[in-house]
């Protein structure tokens, strides 16, 4: 069955003295296709670890992540590449996704070339449409990304992830470090795009009010466990 299913997930790390401690305990979570699920909670409670495990960047100690019926930790490298093309991710630190030397235009175009069959003119059309949608000045298209502000880089990585119309999207603290206006504009963009394209989304954020506003379901984590699960009002 399609969707992301997380079952009885456990993860331990060792501290600087080598003693093991539990980061995630018995996490169960389901994201149906088209559903926007937010995970919020205090710092250090395991939210980013959960995101990395969902993306297959890290392996759990026990438990399962099943994406569209396939168990992620058990994928072979060739299957993993196919899996990664279904799921896009944006992190607070955009360094891993954006190439600082490439222009804004080429950063987005690179993703479109790799992950879609769009022609050159279709790519240009989509990039221009998205620039207006995220409220970025088209003059920035030629600028190397390293010259953008933090907020602009974050918007650009979201734009890049959305441009390929992913089936699933994992967003880890994409609002962190942004001022209130930028936070609301990124949230508004996400909400509008989600309504239009209905991708399954795991949004990890400290912005509780924003999470309740735009999500189908909000989970609150505490000490590596899901302490509360609520439906957005
Ligand atoms: N590779 C690692 N090795 C050891 N400990 C780690 C590792 N990665 C994370 N941790 C620890 O695991 C705990 C959970 O970290 P995680 O980043 O998942 O929390 P978080 O809820 O996302 O926090 P924040 O909201 O501050 O980003 C923290 O105590 C962190 O220091």
């Amino acid at each position: 069955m399609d969707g992301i299913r997380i079952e009885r997930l456990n993860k331990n790390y060792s501290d600087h003295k080598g003693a093991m401690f539990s980061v995630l305990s018995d996490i169960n979570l389901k994201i149906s296709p088209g559903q926007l699920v937010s995970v919020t909670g205090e710092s250090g409670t395991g939210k980013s670890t959960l995101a990395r495990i969902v993306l297959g960047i890290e392996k759990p100690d026990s438990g399962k992540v099943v994406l569209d019926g396939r168990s992620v930790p058990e994928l072979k490298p060739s299957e993993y590449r196919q899996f990664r093309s279904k799921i896009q991710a944006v992190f607070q630190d955009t360094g891993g996704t954006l190439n600082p030397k490439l222009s804004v235009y080429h950063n987005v175009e690179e993703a479109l070339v790799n992950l879609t069959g769009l022609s050159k003119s279709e790519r240009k059309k989509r990039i221009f449409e998205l620039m207006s949608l995220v409220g970025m000045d088209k003059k920035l298209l030629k600028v190397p990304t390293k010259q953008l502000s933090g907020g602009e880089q974050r918007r650009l990585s979201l734009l890049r992830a959305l441009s390929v119309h992913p089936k699933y999207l994992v967003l880890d603290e994409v609002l962190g470090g942004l001022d209130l206006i930028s936070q609301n504009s990124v949230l508004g963009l996400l909400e509008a795009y989600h309504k239009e394209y209905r991708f399954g989304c795991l949004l990890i954020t400290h912005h509780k009010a924003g999470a309740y506003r735009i999500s189908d379901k909000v989970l609150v984590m505490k000490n590596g466990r899901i302490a509360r699960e609520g439906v957005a009002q």
Side-chain angles (χ1 to χ4, degrees):
M1 209 181 73
D2 275 11
I4 300 175
R5 217 171 65 234
I6 294 160
E7 283 174 14
R8 312 201 63 170
L9 205 71
N10 291 290
K11 178 77 182 172
N12 299 297
Y13 282 134
S14 52
D15 66 16
H16 62 285
K17 287 182 183 154
M20 299 299 278
F21 69 98
S22 165
V23 189
L24 296 173
S25 300
D26 197 24
I27 302 289
N28 295 285
L29 163 64
K30 190 165 175 273
I31 305 171
S32 303
Q35 201 179 27
L36 201 164
V37 176
S38 287
V39 174
T40 184
E42 288 159 15
S43 231
T45 197
K47 304 182 297 298
S48 296
T49 307
L50 177 64
R52 289 195 300 273
I53 292 176
V54 168
L55 291 165
I57 298 169
E58 262 187 76
K59 288 197 189 322
D61 292 334
S62 64
K64 274 188 181 175
V65 178
V66 181
L67 180 114
D68 291 351
R70 296 299 311 271
S71 175
V72 175
E74 289 158 16
L75 294 177
K76 297 186 200 110
S78 60
E79 294 172 321
Y80 182 74
R81 272 196 297 280
Q82 203 205 352
F83 150 77
R84 284 298 277 121
S85 67
K86 285 189 194 184
I87 185 162
Q88 287 288 309
V90 183
F91 297 96
Q92 177 161 9
D93 172 12
T94 54
T97 42
L98 297 176
N99 182 335
K101 287 188 199 144
L102 286 185
S103 67
V104 167
Y105 189 89
H106 283 109
N107 260 290
V108 185
E109 197 184 33
E110 192 186 44
L112 292 172
V113 168
N114 291 337
L115 297 171
T116 72
L118 293 183
S119 68
K120 198 167 187 237
S121 60
E122 287 167 332
R123 295 197 295 266
K124 187 171 177 190
K125 187 165 170 262
R126 189 169 296 177
I127 293 170
F128 272 72
E129 276 167 11
L130 275 159
M131 287 296 280
S132 323
L133 202 69
V134 296
M136 283 177 82
D137 192 327
K138 294 193 181 67
K139 278 189 223 140
L140 292 175
L141 282 169
K142 289 190 182 142
V143 170
T145 38
K146 63 177 176 212
Q147 287 177 21
L148 300 181
S149 72
E152 286 167 342
Q153 290 194 15
R154 200 79 53 70
R155 262 186 256 188
L156 175 63
S157 25
L158 187 59
L159 183 158
R160 187 182 190 273
L162 293 173
S163 72
V164 301
H165 294 172
K167 186 168 180 185
Y168 301 103
L169 186 60
V170 174
L171 303 173
D172 187 6
E173 274 317 334
V174 289
L175 306 172
L178 297 182
D179 61 37
L180 210 63
I181 295 172
S182 302
Q183 283 192 356
N184 283 328
S185 97
V186 170
L187 272 175
L189 164 73
L190 183 61
E191 189 178 22
Y193 227 70
H194 181 254
K195 274 204 181 112
E196 187 159 353
Y197 293 102
R198 305 306 300 178
F199 44 86
C201 183
L202 175 63
L203 172 69
I204 289 171
T205 182
H206 284 281
H207 194 320
K208 257 193 192 165
Y212 275 102
R213 199 169 77 222
I214 70 165
S215 312
D216 299 305
K217 189 162 71 178
V218 179
L219 306 173
V220 182
M221 282 185 63
K222 198 169 182 190
N223 301 327
R225 291 180 179 272
I226 294 176
R228 240 184 6 256
E229 180 170 337
V231 176
Q233 280 98 32

